[in-house]
Amino acid sequence: MNFTLCSSSSELKYPCVEGLRHSKVNMLVPRPSVRVGYSAKKDSIQVSDNDTGKRVVGNHLMPGKLEGPYMGEKQLQKPSQKLEFVRTLLIDNYDSYTYNIYQELSVVNGLPPVVVRNDELTWKDVCHYLYEENAFDNIVISPGPGSPTCPADIGICLRLLLQCWDIPILGVCLGHQALGYVHGAQVVRAPEPVHGRLSEIQHNGCRLFHDIPSGRDSGFKVVRYHSLVIDAKSLPKELIPIAWTSSGDALSFFETQKSNIMSDAYKSQIGHKSSSESISEIKNGNCSPFVQFDESRRVLMGIMHSSRPHYGLQFHPESVATYHGRQIFKNFRKITEDYWLRLRPYAACMQVPCASQLLREVPRSRHLVSTAADQLYRDPPQSSQLVHDADKRSYFEVSNMVHLSHPSTGVKFLKLKWKKFDHLASQVGGARNIFCELFGRHKAEDTFWLDSSSIEKKRARFSFMGGKGGSLWKQLTYRLSDQSDMSFKGGGYLSIEDSHGSPRSIFLEEGFLDYLNKELLSFCYEEKDYEGLPFDFHGGYIGYIGYNLKVECGVVSNRHKSRSPDACFFFADNLLVVDHQNDDVYILSLHEECKTMTPWLDDTEEKLFSLKASATRLEEQTFQAATLSPYKAGFHADKSRVQYMEDVEKCLEYIKDGESYELCLTTQIRRSIGEIDPLGLYLHLRQKNPAPYAAWLNFSKEDLCICSSSPERFLRLDRNGTLEAKPIKGTIARGATAEEDEQHKLQLQYSEKDQAENLMIVDLLRNDLGRVCEPGSVHVPHLMDVESYATVHTMVSTIRGKKQSNLSAVDCVKAAFPGGSMTGAPKLRSMELLDSLESCSRGIYSGSIGFFSYNKTFDLNIVIRTVVVHEGEASIGAGGAIVALSNPEDEYEEMILKTNAPAKAVMEFL
């Protein structure tokens, strides 16, 4: 449920500009301040304390109807002025699309909005900032899970809509429903849930839709994420319907491309060419407000208040696939400007972005909901800052971030030495032979290999490998505490083993990611040390983050405890890199500035040149193809077919109730394997199912080996500060013949369900990147591309943005972990629901494997298509996104399909 940021209430004042509000406008609002230079007549507004739903507001408060003593004829004749920027208070209803609105408003308003969750401020605080400090010009109420009829879902929003009648307000999705509900309309189940699909929109030509076409085949198509709607028949006279669907049929994304060209705002976010770009652009025309069509099939998509500057939109203007979404935000800005400038035409010259660094200290008193079965936890109480940077004019919410300017650990000055060997990789047998010969002996204990074993179409270029090395090497093993009460943020126990094998254990009250952040911030280095290296990992932490670390990223608790450690990392001070594109080999070694270099570089160079290109013993092994299903081959599932399908049905009910748009339900299969050669298993898996983000990790002290053939990147931060996510949603098996394979590929490409899944996660990842990226920088260069792998076709999108300079690498991970493709949307509510449905911890599955380089870059995958070998057992996780279009039996079959490749690799190797 994405929404638009717009607000229309005159309680949003410009700091240091008095006279824009009335001294006694609403007796329900505590002591609104008096604007200097503006005298309001007491009889200009009629307020009935006994009937707040039917208040009559003087028409001088309505945009476009400034008549009477407050605006003289000479003033009205003056040319309209434009505010330098518009200041928005964005209320977040715990949604996963709020920061898409944030990004859009940042561009349109000229100033990023301030984001506050719906239970973070008291009503007294709200009135203070709106009426006494005059900090905002409008309010936008975000989408969110649940219903406006549930106080825990809607928080302070109903009171804002009821009592802030003199401030422009725009409600999106849940915010739209709240506008209807607070004035007496009924919120009911929609004729069908619609999530990640598009509808053509007809509107009445009001100012919110200025310069936007209307009706069927007009080019105005919008993305919908909702299961509930306002019953149009229940609208009170105060609310005016302004938009409807123009037919009863929702469309898939690619269906909309057959007749439309994207809007300019849309094309600014989509960087790749599509079929629609070859079609002549449909120009905006005059609206036809009252086109007749079958009313029984239409769904109410927009409302406005008859006497207040309040608007609601059921659809999501901020979605990447909504046409003319940015124009809607521009129109709301213009409504806000006109509203204030007609009250005070010279206000623009006095406008400043923030009065006395307002909101520098914002008390956040979050209210916890009950722990009943149908209620979900909110974040624990905390205080945070909303910082205004006058130079950059940017607000940033840091309440959930761990950025530290003064690391508590000692500063380490690191020096890097490296050597390059041109065109050596193929001469010595390639990456596989190099790893086996240099690091594969002694069961490859305490080794790592980030293995780009699928390099077709330039999906990946570099592989990184190494083992226990020099004096800086160490292993971190982290386990969350057993405590899971709502006031506990998730600390745990960290075991540290250094290069000499000496262990120590500490308790991390603030959690592992906070510790990792401090470690990375403690490294000092000279950029000239790695000039000339074409990759970003030059040494640092390499390992995995387990799914349960979601408790350090906003989730209150874990229902299930992981059998394996919740995070394991090596600090790699020596490593070897293979450039698959140029066939080059690099060796790198890190040491502290005050320490003497080790001979590792010279020793490794000697070993490399002694290698032969002949196959190793493991390469000569052959395996009989497995024909049995995973279950018949000895794997047992945590949930039976019937149980899994029942869980899918429960997910569908949650979706119908508006609790989620998409739930990524998972389960695991397991088999006892006893003593095996785990490296041999991994080599066989990479041969059968090569992948661009594959990985091998061996933590021998934990009896833990990870064999991953993941095709999915979670998140990468490069040295230029660019963040990139590549979520996968939509999977289908390869065909037996070339013709069948092409048919399967097209079937995936044009699957309405898979397009809806992918679009929802793209918008979610845009939101997650939007929390930490520069305003206006988040874009989608590739949307719903189909990529082919050894056993499956997948639908992949790419989202990029420019990281804000004041944030760390770990801040970025915390904003987006776990990957949205493994959770669903809205993310927090979906994860809580999934915790109640799934019978065990996901453990390493659904987490991330990769590196955090000492130079503040990182690259992490999504742990899927992975065999985890732990204490004599092999486990494989799999699942799929449940959406309104899902079929339980099909979902079960998709889950089984995703286990096939790794399960077959295990069966063939045993």
Side-chain angles (χ1 to χ4, degrees), residues 441-506:
R441 306 190 185 282
H442 307 294
K443 298 182 180 180
E445 293 181 350
D446 301 322
T447 57
F448 61 86
W449 183 5
L450 301 185
D451 177 18
S452 298
S453 56
S454 173
I455 59 173
E456 300 87 19
K457 300 181 180 179
K458 299 182 179 180
R459 289 176 185 146
R461 178 176 171 183
F462 302 103
S463 291
F464 305 92
M465 59 183 71
K468 194 169 183 176
S471 60
L472 291 176
W473 183 95
K474 59 183 173 182
Q475 179 180 328
L476 306 180
T477 305
Y478 180 73
R479 287 181 169 83
L480 286 163
S481 167
D482 289 336
Q483 291 179 282
S484 60
D485 59 279
M486 291 178 59
S487 63
F488 189 77
K489 285 194 65 178
Y493 298 90
L494 178 69
S495 174
I496 306 172
E497 180 187 339
D498 62 20
S499 58
H500 303 292
S502 302
R504 63 189 179 96
S505 182
I506 56 176

Side-chain angles (χ1 to χ4, degrees), residues 73-91:
E73 287 296 323
K74 291 183 180 180
Q75 291 176 323
L76 290 174
Q77 292 172 2
K78 290 186 177 293
S80 175
Q81 300 180 54
K82 183 177 181 180
L83 300 180
E84 183 181 354
F85 43 78
V86 170
R87 302 159 308 158
T88 296
L89 175 63
L90 176 52
I91 306 296

Side-chain angles (χ1 to χ4, degrees), residues 237-446:
K237 63 182 180 180
E238 292 89 355
L239 299 179
I240 302 170
I242 59 174
W244 311 261
T245 56
S246 61
S247 73
D249 300 321
L251 305 170
S252 69
F253 171 75
F254 284 112
E255 282 181 300
T256 67
Q257 306 305 293
K258 297 174 183 177
S259 60
N260 268 92
I261 180 67
M262 305 170 193
S263 66
D264 290 339
Y266 178 89
K267 284 190 286 186
S268 73
Q269 297 189 56
I270 299 288
H272 74 301
K273 289 187 178 292
S274 71
S275 60
S276 66
E277 292 183 273
S278 64
I279 305 173
S280 59
E281 182 170 2
I282 298 175
K283 296 183 178 179
N284 294 346
N286 294 326
C287 303
S288 301
F290 302 109
V291 177
Q292 297 296 319
F293 62 93
D294 184 1
E295 294 189 9
S296 65
R297 301 184 65 195
R298 69 183 186 179
V299 178
L300 188 61
M301 287 286 114
I303 57 174
M304 65 178 288
H305 197 279
S306 61
S307 59
R308 303 179 182 187
H310 293 182
Y311 299 82
L313 295 174
Q314 179 63 75
F315 60 86
H316 285 246
E318 81 286 1
S319 172
V320 72
T322 287
Y323 293 76
H324 307 293
R326 182 165 293 176
Q327 184 62 42
I328 291 174
F329 289 114
K330 289 179 179 178
N331 291 341
F332 187 68
R333 170 178 174 148
K334 188 67 169 62
I335 289 170
T336 300
E337 289 177 332
D338 289 352
Y339 181 82
W340 291 117
L341 289 172
R342 287 177 180 178
L343 289 177
R344 180 78 174 179
Y346 302 109
C349 2
M350 302 175 66
Q351 188 189 26
V352 294
C354 194
S356 305
Q357 296 188 342
L358 187 67
L359 290 180
R360 192 162 215 25
E361 295 289 341
V362 179
R364 306 280 181 111
S365 54
R366 300 193 178 187
H367 306 291
L368 302 179
V369 303
S370 75
T371 58
D374 61 338
Q375 299 290 343
L376 298 171
Y377 293 132
R378 297 290 193 233
D379 287 356
Q382 58 180 301
S383 62
S384 66
Q385 290 185 332
L386 290 180
V387 181
H388 176 261
D389 184 332
D391 295 329
K392 296 184 179 180
R393 288 181 181 170
S394 66
Y395 290 100
F396 181 69
E397 183 185 19
V398 295
S399 59
N400 291 320
M401 300 300 164
V402 296
H403 176 67
L404 298 172
S405 56
H406 303 289
S408 60
T409 53
V411 174
K412 303 179 183 68
F413 293 91
L414 301 181
K415 296 294 294 180
L416 175 68
K417 298 293 183 183
W418 56 275
K419 294 183 179 182
K420 176 187 177 184
F421 307 103
D422 294 334
H423 313 301
L424 179 65
S426 60
Q427 298 177 38
V428 295
R432 183 185 195 280
N433 204 44
I434 293 172
F435 183 84
C436 291
E437 292 298 322
L438 268 61
F439 308 108
R441 306 190 185 282
H442 307 294
K443 298 182 180 180
E445 293 181 350
D446 301 322

Side-chain angles (χ1 to χ4, degrees), residues 16 26 36 78 137 172 203 337 355 549 592 829:
C16 304
N26 187 344
V36 177
K78 290 186 177 293
D137 306 313
V172 179
H203 60 76
E337 289 177 332
L549 280 198
E592 287 191 80
R829 179 68 60 91

Side-chain angles (χ1 to χ4, degrees), residues 10 47 161 164 245 326 427 679 728 735 739 796 875 887 910:
S10 55
V47 178
L161 288 163
C164 295
T245 56
R326 182 165 293 176
Q427 298 177 38
L679 178 58
I728 290 177
E739 182 180 1
V796 186
S875 63
N887 174 277
L910 290 177

Side-chain angles (χ1 to χ4, degrees), residues 583-873:
D583 200 37
D584 301 330
V585 176
Y586 298 80
I587 53 176
L588 300 83
S589 185
L590 269 177
H591 65 97
E592 287 191 80
E593 193 174 44
C594 58
K595 301 276 179 76
T596 306
M597 267 292 295
T598 65
W600 187 86
L601 286 177
D602 295 334
D603 293 346
T604 304
E605 180 180 359
E606 183 180 342
K607 290 177 182 177
L608 274 173
F609 282 100
S610 68
L611 290 182
K612 305 232 184 216
S614 60
T616 65
R617 176 182 62 83
L618 288 168
E619 286 178 309
E620 296 170 355
Q621 293 182 350
T622 59
F623 303 94
Q624 182 178 359
T627 57
L628 298 176
S629 71
Y631 300 128
K632 292 181 180 178
F635 280 93
H636 66 274
D638 286 340
K639 289 201 172 181
S640 67
R641 181 177 185 275
V642 172
Q643 290 173 319
Y644 191 83
M645 291 172 62
E646 286 177 352
D647 286 345
V648 173
E649 293 283 7
K650 292 176 183 177
C651 290
L652 291 172
E653 285 302 308
Y654 284 130
I655 290 169
K656 290 176 184 177
D657 288 338
E659 296 294 329
S660 177
Y661 326 131
E662 177 173 0
L663 288 160
C664 297
L665 182 68
T666 75
T667 188
Q668 300 204 30
I669 62 173
R670 309 175 189 278
R671 173 176 174 156
S672 176
I673 57 174
E675 289 290 331
I676 66 164
D677 174 13
L679 178 58
L681 171 61
Y682 174 67
L683 295 174
H684 180 58
L685 176 64
R686 78 185 293 272
Q687 178 187 351
K688 292 292 185 179
N689 197 45
Y693 309 109
W696 156 266
L697 293 171
N698 185 349
F699 300 97
S700 59
K701 295 284 175 52
E702 303 299 324
D703 194 10
L704 173 63
C705 294
I706 303 171
C707 308
S708 178
S709 58
S710 173
E712 183 172 2
R713 166 175 281 151
F714 164 47
L715 199 60
R716 176 182 70 176
L717 175 66
D718 66 21
R719 68 180 74 178
N720 297 316
T722 299
L723 278 168
E724 179 184 88
K726 290 178 68 70
I728 290 177
K729 267 291 158 249
T731 304
I732 195 170
R734 298 293 300 263
T737 65
E739 182 180 1
E740 183 183 55
D741 194 54
E742 185 63 22
Q743 289 176 347
H744 284 198
K745 185 176 181 179
L746 290 173
Q747 181 182 336
L748 175 63
Q749 181 78 74
Y750 291 97
S751 163
E752 184 174 19
K753 171 186 174 293
D754 291 307
Q755 290 175 49
E757 286 183 24
N758 200 284
L759 179 57
M760 279 188 269
I761 299 306
V762 167
D763 279 340
L764 188 153
L765 264 297
R766 289 175 58 236
N767 171 87
D768 290 351
L769 267 63
R771 295 178 62 194
V772 293
C773 286
E774 293 290 346
S777 70
V778 178
H779 62 288
V780 183
H782 302 285
L783 181 63
M784 300 186 198
D785 288 348
V786 173
E787 295 185 357
S788 301
Y789 295 88
T791 60
V792 296
H793 299 294
T794 62
M795 188 179 284
V796 186
S797 295
T798 303
I799 303 99
R800 294 187 185 131
K802 184 72 172 179
K803 180 185 77 69
Q804 293 187 31
S805 59
N806 62 323
L807 300 178
S808 71
V810 175
D811 290 336
C812 298
V813 173
K814 290 192 72 174
F817 186 82
S821 62
M822 302 307 296
T823 64
K827 185 186 282 188
L828 287 178
R829 179 68 60 91
S830 295
M831 285 191 287
E832 291 167 335
L833 293 172
L834 291 166
D835 247 12
S836 71
L837 291 173
E838 296 176 356
S839 57
C840 66
S841 170
R842 297 187 185 184
I844 299 167
Y845 169 64
S846 296
S848 294
I849 296 170
F851 68 77
F852 289 89
S853 183
Y854 76 88
N855 66 350
K856 312 301 189 287
T857 64
F858 67 85
D859 198 355
L860 299 167
N861 76 0
I862 296 284
V863 182
I864 55 175
R865 320 290 197 273
T866 297
V867 183
V868 176
V869 180
H870 185 222
E871 296 178 345
E873 180 184 72

